[in-house]
Structures are given as structure tokens and as C-alpha cells.
């Protein structure tokens, strides 16, 4: 499963990182605590959060997550977007709340990996 | 080989820059990815601690044949009780810092988990020195 498949299936908006939508997704991680993500997320995860500040991109970059999804219609801060563009990190968005988005995302990734 | 990177206290917009620079350098030197991944977690937590608590600091990286030795040193308020600071969930971070998703008291435990050796010394009112050793096993 690639990032672009998730974008299409879940109707996500793409703030930046169009050139990296072919990245392979291996799992997901949901947390708004940056140290939790640093300590526990894996490379290739899709990271779901409501944090919009620039440090999100620092963590995303260091952990090499496949993409970041901002929930509940949150938009990235200006400097967050700038770093996302510079580092070509897919920064995605949805109007869905974390619970709904994550449920759908989990099903999607499980179906793909299981089937 | 020795490298040094500066950290600016209080400036969250630059938090992670030093860790990112170290990561790039380690990749260029062909350090195995699993080793880089662990070390980067410890580095980032250390860097964020300097940004969140100290006035300024630096990361020094010394790459030796069998280990990577990192010193994260700052001029800052210091840590009065290191044992307490090491406890999961303990934090002295400000409300503003917590709202950004930091200050959950996971930083130092994360560093310990991702270092082969972690040594912290601190003097209240002066600063803190964190030494991280990562072994390069063949």
C-alpha cells in the first residue's frame, strides 16, 4: 500500500509532499505526544496527529514516517508546511476525527497486508 | 572523527536541526541504519531538552571504530535530582511546551532505552552534561 492509495481511499487532502506519494506504508501510529512518537513509531508508519507545529515535521523526518495525517480539519502552521515542502514529506489532512480516520486507516492497511 | 553542532536554547523552530545534521552525517559514513535509528531518538530527546530547558548547548559526536560517543552539553538551570528526572512521567516542562506535545516525562527514559550507556551529570544553575555511548557491533 502506498501513500497515494490512502489519499484516494480516504479522500485526504494533500498539503505537501506530492512527489513522495509513492512511499510504501507499512503501518500506522497515532499520538500527539512527540516523545511517544519518537520512541515508538516505526519507519514507514503513517502518523496521525492533531499537532500542527513545525516540530511535527522534525519528528516525521527523523523517524522517516511515510506520511503525516492532520485530523479534524487542522491545517499545518506556515513553517510546518515550509519544512514539509523542503523535505518532501507527505502532509495530509482530513475533516474526520482521529477515531473515525484511524478505524478506516487500520482496516485499509490490514486488508492490504492480510490479502 | 569528531563533529560539533550548536543548539539554541528556547528556539523550538530549530529543535531537531542538530539531530538531523548528525543523522545525515552518520548515513554518509554508512553507519548501519538500526544503529542510526536508535541514536537519533536519544539525540532528539537530548536536543529538545536543551531547547526546552537550557540557554544554549551543543552536541559533540565522536565516531570511533567500535562505538559512537555523544556529549550533549548545555548552559542552563541544571537538574537538581537526576533520579527523579529519569522517572517516566516526571517533567518540569512549562504548560506551553506541554501543549506542543513535549514534556510528557518520556524524554530521558527514551534516551536510556536507545543508548547502550547513558551518563548524566548536572550542576544546578550551571548546566547539564549527557553522555551517550552507542556500540557499533559487527
Amino acid at each position: 500500500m502506498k501513500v497515494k492509495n490512502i489519499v484516494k481511499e480516504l479522500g485526504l487532502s494533500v498539503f505537501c509532499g506530492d512527489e513522495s506519494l509513492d512511499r510504501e506504508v507499512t503501518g500506522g501510529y497515532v499520538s500527539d505526544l512527540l516523545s511517544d512518537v519518537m520512541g515508538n513509531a516505526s519507519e514507514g508508519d503513517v502518523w496521525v496527529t492533531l499537532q500542527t507545529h513545525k516540530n511535527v515535521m522534525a519528528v516525521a523526518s527523523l523517524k522517516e514516517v511515510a506520511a503525516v495525517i492532520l485530523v479534524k480539519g487542522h491545517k499545518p502552521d506556515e513553517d510546518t508546511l515550509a519544512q514539509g515542502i523542503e523535505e518532501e514529506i507527505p502532509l495530509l489532512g482530513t475533516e474526520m476525527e482521529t477515531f473515525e480516520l484511524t478505524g478506516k486507516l487500520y482496516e485499509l492497511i490490514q486488508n492490504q497486508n492480510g490479502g | 572523527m569528531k563533529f560539533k553542532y550548536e543548539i539554541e536554547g528556547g528556539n523550538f523552530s530549530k529543535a531537531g536541526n542538530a539531530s538531523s545534521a548528525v543523522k545525515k552525517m552518520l548515513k554518509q559514513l554508512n553507519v548501519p541504519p538500526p544503529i542510526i535509528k536508535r541514536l537519533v531518538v536519544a539525540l532528539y530527546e537530548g536536543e529538545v531538552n536543551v531547547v526546552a530547558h537550557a540557554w544554549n548547548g551543543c552536541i559533540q559526536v565522536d565516531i570511533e571504530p567500535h562505538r559512537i560517543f555523544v556529549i550533549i552539553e548545555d548552559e542552563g538551570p541544571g537538574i537538581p535530582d537526576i533520579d527523579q528526572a529519569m522517572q517516566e512521567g516526571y517533567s518540569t516542562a512549562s504548560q506551553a511546551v506541554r501543549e506542543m506535545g513535549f514534556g510528557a516525562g518520556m524524554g530521558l527514559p527514551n534516551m536510556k532505552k536507545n543508548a547502550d550507556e547513558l551518563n548524566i551529570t548536572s550542576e544546578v544553575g550551571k548546566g547539564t552534561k549527557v553522555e551517550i555511548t552507542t556500540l557499533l557491533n559487527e
Side-chain angles (χ1 to χ4, degrees), chain A residues 47-73:
Chain A
W47 173 20
V48 181
T49 183
L50 49 71
Q51 297 281 4
T52 58
H53 56 84
K54 193 186 169 200
N55 297 274
V56 168
M57 298 323 272
V59 170
S61 167
L62 287 168
K63 293 299 285 187
E64 298 180 30
V65 299
V68 179
I69 304 178
L70 304 181
V71 293
K72 296 202 297 186

Side-chain angles (χ1 to χ4, degrees), chain A residues 32-36 38-40 43 51 53-55 58-59 61-64 79, chain B residues 12-13 15 19-20 23 27 37 40-41 44-45 99-102 104 106-107 110:
Chain A
D32 303 317
L33 294 176
L34 272 62
S35 283
D36 182 33
M38 265 326 278
N40 300 298
E43 180 182 345
Q51 297 281 4
H53 56 84
K54 193 186 169 200
N55 297 274
V59 170
S61 167
L62 287 168
K63 293 299 285 187
E64 298 180 30
D79 52 359
Chain B
F12 270 96
S13 75
S19 304
S20 179
K23 184 184 169 194
K27 273 191 168 176
K37 278 189 187 129
V40 158
V41 175
Y44 181 74
E45 295 292 1
E99 279 168 13
M100 293 173 79
F102 296 112
M106 303 171 86
N110 257 357

Side-chain angles (χ1 to χ4, degrees), chain B residues 22-39:
Chain B
V22 175
K23 184 184 169 194
K24 274 184 199 144
M25 182 264 292
L26 295 176
K27 273 191 168 176
Q28 278 165 9
L29 293 171
N30 290 319
V31 173
I35 288 175
I36 297 180
K37 278 189 187 129
R38 281 186 80 213
L39 183 54

